[in-house]
Amino acid sequence: MFESEDDVRELQTLFDRTFARANPHLAGIVKRERRLNARQVVRYLQGTKHVAFATVNERGEPRVAPLDGVFIRGRFTVSTGGRAARLRHLRSNPACSATHLDGDTIGIVVHGHATIIGEGDAGVEEIEPVWREIYGSSPFEWGEGVVFMRIEPTSMWAYVFHPENFPE
């Protein structure tokens, strides 16, 4: 687990804020008894979790792609190559979303803005070693212009059908 107690509290505040302003449709589906708390989410999101990562292209059209997601300090991080369209999209418009979904078992959704972090940028020192540990090499060795994208969340929620299966 890469989260401090402050990170867990901040994440719980984000979850609470998300549901405080949720529309009736979301609140009716993701009822209190089907939600996970921040500590449960942090525990579940250890290692790599595949996410559908969404950006918006220059024409305002949504684009989504499967990526590996790694949760670090209460934030999803993903990586991409320097020539990827998603990187061009984010440089023009940093709005993004990511969803981790495992059938009917769990769904975790985050909306926000991406901070692009390249080799030598602030923040890389806490992200790159985690990725290196998981994959056995640095993403910066995987291709030209590889960067991380850290999602700075504006809203986030987690849904499960059986929350009792997700310990704190």
Side-chain angles (χ1 to χ4, degrees):
M1 187 168 106
F2 302 107
E3 285 72 27
S4 67
E5 285 302 313
D6 286 342
D7 294 332
V8 173
R9 277 191 294 278
E10 181 181 330
L11 187 60
Q12 186 62 53
T13 298
L14 175 64
F15 289 170
D16 295 344
R17 189 173 61 241
T18 297
F19 281 107
R21 63 180 189 228
N23 66 43
H25 179 74
L26 178 63
I29 294 170
V30 186
K31 298 175 181 174
R32 184 169 303 282
E33 62 270 15
R34 300 282 189 242
R35 298 176 195 167
L36 293 182
N37 66 41
R39 193 165 304 284
Q40 289 170 299
V41 168
V42 165
R43 182 170 179 153
Y44 172 77
L45 289 176
Q46 297 302 299
T48 302
K49 298 293 182 188
H50 299 114
V51 299
F53 184 75
T55 60
V56 179
N57 71 15
E58 53 280 347
R59 293 177 303 281
E61 300 164 334
R63 295 293 182 257
V64 66
L67 294 176
D68 289 354
V70 179
F71 205 64
I72 304 168
R73 304 273 331 263
R75 304 287 186 269
F76 268 111
T77 61
V78 295
S79 70
T80 197
R83 296 184 185 178
R86 74 183 60 87
L87 185 56
R88 188 177 66 251
H89 300 165
L90 292 171
R91 287 192 167 130
S92 175
N93 178 353
C96 63
S97 295
T99 299
H100 167 71
L101 186 66
D102 183 1
D104 289 332
T105 304
I106 187 168
I108 301 172
V109 176
V110 59
H111 304 294
H113 297 87
T115 298
I116 299 168
I117 302 171
E119 196 168 16
D121 290 343
V124 75
E125 68 282 349
E126 77 178 3
I127 297 171
E128 191 272 344
V130 175
W131 281 68
R132 178 184 291 276
E133 174 76 20
I134 291 169
Y135 292 99
S137 63
S138 172
F140 297 124
E141 299 167 2
W142 299 348
E144 184 180 331
V146 171
V147 296
F148 295 107
M149 290 94 57
R150 181 179 56 218
I151 303 172
E152 304 300 341
T154 55
S155 67
M156 188 170 174
W157 52 273
Y159 172 86
V160 296
F161 194 70
H162 293 287
E164 65 276 7
N165 294 337
F166 294 84
E168 287 189 24

